[in-house]
């Protein structure tokens, strides 16, 4: 097959069409492990970086150049729209923090549905600048947190500590949680639509914490709201990728989402998972820790994941870890680039 541009390769893989080789990118590819990110980050706080189009575009584009990946992902964070909803948000060294988490009906009712064009004008500006940097041949991904995962952060307040607050709320006051999720469906849909209008080629929904829920609750509080977000985007629309960490217990429900690609965590077998996702492409799912190992081992793991069938976007099973050696990330990308459309022995 003729070599494809990265954009053709990525979009064809999302549609499960044949490709010259599978595309590859890395979740959190512009992050603390990368010297070009650290350099820019030394000049600005994390929030400033996100909200200054020149800086956000610079780290986005440099990650693509440094790694040679097939896609750019806009530099931002899933929690920024929560700030536009009226909730104070801080990024500390330990992670994000909401000093006044949402725990009551009045708290939910006080949240507004922002208009991304006027509330986050830096987004479209950053997207335009990234496009100038990467050109037309490289796809640009937008993203948002899925409603349930955003609710987990907004009710919990502090990362790592109180993510279980959302589960307490589910049993104590399910109607309140649903009211919060309803609002988030609108916010997330508008946020994604804005990024698509500004020029993103695909969008990813991060539902990292949906596996906190029992399977029946997953359908009600995570899948249902995420499906409504996707429906609200209308058709035609660019491909939607859905990521959750720990999806093995609910795989059979995921075709109901109405997305094109499921991004799999590393705790399950890629080939078996594919068999349970009829009609969908998959993304993933190398263990992020594998990039600490020898390059030859990374190459062998990549070959083992290559099924040869269309509809696979190589990635890690979660975001790249902050202490990852850049050489490990490069070895991963190089190993995928050695693959051909046919399975490799
Ligand atoms: O992929 C990319 O390169 C694009 C940028 C991006 C960031 N965060 C930048 C970031 C994306 C897509 C995210 C998504 C995100 N943010 C998720 C979902 C994916 C996942 O990892 O589960 C979540 C849960 C968040 C919330 C968040 N933001 C946390 C928990 C933290 C702190 C801990 C951590 O992993 O870094 C952040 C901060 C953050 N977001 C950093 C970056 C590069 C580090 C900030 C710094 O420079 O100090």
């Amino acid at each position: 097959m003729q070599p494809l541009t990265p954009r053709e390769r990525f979009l064809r893989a999302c549609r499960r069409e044949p490709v010259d080789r599978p595309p590859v990118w890395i979740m959190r590819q512009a992050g603390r492990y990368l010297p070009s990110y650290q350099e820019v980050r030394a000049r600005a706080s994390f929030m400033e970086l996100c909200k200054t189009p020149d800086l956000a575009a610079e780290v986005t584009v440099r990650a693509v150049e440094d790694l040679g990946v097939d896609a750019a992902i806009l530099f931002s964070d899933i929690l920024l729209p929560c700030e536009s909803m009226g909730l104070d948000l801080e990024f500390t060294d330990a992670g994000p923090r909401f000093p006044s988490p949402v725990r009551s009906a009045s708290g939910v009712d006080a949240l507004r549905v922002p208009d991304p064009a006027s509330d986050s004008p830096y987004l479209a500006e950053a997207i335009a600048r990234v496009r100038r940097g990467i050109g037309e041949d490289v796809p640009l991904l937008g993203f948002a947190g899925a409603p349930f995962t955003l609710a987990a952060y907004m009710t919990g307040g502090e990362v790592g500590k109180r993510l279980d607050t959302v589960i307490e709320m589910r049993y104590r006051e399910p109607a309140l949680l649903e009211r919060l999720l309803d609002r988030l469906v609108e916010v997330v849909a508008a946020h994604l639509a804005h990024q698509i209008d500004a020029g993103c080629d695909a969008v990813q929904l991060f539902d990292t914490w949906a596996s906190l829920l029992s399977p029946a609750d997953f359908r009600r509080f995570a899948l249902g709201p995420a499906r409504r977000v996707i429906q609200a985007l209308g058709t035609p629309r660019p491909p939607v990728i859905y990521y959750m960490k720990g999806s093995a217990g609910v795989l059979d429900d995921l075709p109901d989402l109405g997305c094109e690609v499921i991004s799999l965590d590393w705790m399950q077998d890629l080939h078996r998972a594919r068999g349970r996702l009829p009609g969908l492409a998959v993304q993933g799912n190398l263990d992020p820790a594998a990039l600490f190992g020898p390059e030859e081992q990374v190459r062998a793991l990549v070959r083992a994941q290559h099924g040869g069938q269309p509809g696979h976007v190589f990635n890690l099973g979660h975001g790249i870890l902050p202490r990852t050696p850049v050489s490990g990330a490069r070895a991963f990308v190089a190993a995928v680039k050695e693959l051909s459309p046919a399975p490799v022995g």
Side-chain angles (χ1 to χ4, degrees):
M1 179 186 275
Q2 290 288 316
L4 301 170
T5 65
R7 195 179 198 167
E8 288 165 341
R9 184 179 294 125
F10 177 83
L11 291 172
R12 290 179 69 103
C14 292
R15 295 191 296 253
R16 296 184 308 134
E17 293 165 6
V19 284
D20 52 351
R21 60 157 176 87
V24 57
W25 67 281
I26 298 177
M27 286 189 266
R28 300 283 193 106
Q29 61 193 18
R32 282 169 296 183
Y33 78 102
L34 200 62
S36 60
Y37 173 78
Q38 287 162 10
E39 197 188 293
V40 179
R41 179 73 169 76
R43 290 187 259 140
S45 72
F46 178 68
M47 285 275 217
E48 280 164 0
L49 217 175
C50 290
K51 293 179 183 179
T52 311
D54 266 343
L55 298 182
E58 183 180 344
V59 294
T60 304
V61 175
R62 280 177 76 183
V64 175
E65 292 168 352
D66 291 352
L67 299 174
V69 284
D70 290 305
I73 178 157
L74 178 67
F75 191 83
S76 185
D77 197 87
I78 59 165
L79 301 178
L80 289 189
C82 308
E83 192 189 38
S84 306
M85 293 173 80
L87 206 58
D88 285 342
L89 168 64
E90 295 165 4
F91 281 92
T92 68
D93 284 346
R97 200 171 95 85
F98 290 103
S100 321
V102 180
R103 302 220 173 120
S104 63
S106 58
V108 172
D109 292 340
L111 296 169
R112 48 190 287 272
V113 176
D115 170 15
S118 53
D119 289 304
S120 352
Y122 51 86
L123 268 182
E125 189 53 45
I127 289 169
R129 282 173 208 223
V130 171
R131 181 60 75 195
R132 266 177 254 143
I134 60 176
E136 293 298 322
D137 287 347
V138 175
L140 172 57
L141 278 61
F143 67 89
F148 177 77
T149 287
L150 294 181
Y153 281 109
M154 293 166 78
T155 54
E158 205 143 345
V159 160
K161 289 200 180 143
R162 296 298 308 272
L163 279 173
D164 51 347
T165 309
V166 72
I167 304 296
E168 277 175 40
M169 187 186 276
R170 177 264 170 266
Y171 288 105
R172 253 201 258 267
E173 288 177 283
L176 181 60
L177 178 58
E178 280 186 322
R179 206 143 107 202
L180 173 58
L181 290 168
D182 285 348
R183 190 137 315 180
L184 283 165
V185 166
E186 278 184 71
V187 173
V188 173
H191 191 63
L192 289 180
H194 180 68
Q195 294 174 72
I196 292 168
D197 289 345
C200 288
D201 297 289
V203 290
Q204 178 153 333
L205 266 176
F206 284 96
D207 215 349
T208 310
W209 298 112
S211 55
L212 292 173
L213 295 160
S214 71
D217 279 358
F218 168 77
R219 292 189 279 276
R220 178 168 165 198
F221 297 102
L223 184 140
R227 179 172 50 207
R228 282 158 56 208
V229 168
I230 296 168
Q231 278 169 351
L233 297 176
T235 48
R237 54 155 178 78
V240 176
I241 308 167
Y242 179 83
Y243 173 79
M244 67 180 276
K245 185 174 160 195
S247 58
V250 295
L251 274 185
D252 302 327
D253 291 315
L254 298 183
D256 292 344
L257 274 165
C259 68
E260 284 66 37
V261 187
I262 298 295
S263 192
L264 297 165
D265 62 89
W266 74 97
M267 292 164 277
Q268 55 191 321
D269 180 88
L270 179 89
H271 304 294
R272 271 191 237 162
R274 288 192 80 150
R276 287 171 58 192
L277 296 168
L280 295 177
V282 290
Q283 176 174 277
N285 70 342
L286 190 72
D287 185 341
L291 303 190
F292 290 92
E295 292 180 14
E296 204 35 61
Q297 184 172 273
V298 170
R299 188 177 292 137
L301 291 167
V302 163
R303 287 211 190 120
Q305 288 200 326
H306 185 40
Q309 309 109 294
H312 180 201
V313 177
F314 269 88
N315 206 318
L316 303 179
H318 196 192
I320 191 166
L321 297 162
R323 288 189 295 109
T324 305
V326 179
S327 58
R330 289 209 179 104
F332 173 52
V333 174
V336 177
K337 289 186 171 178
E338 285 169 11
L339 299 172
S340 57
V344 187

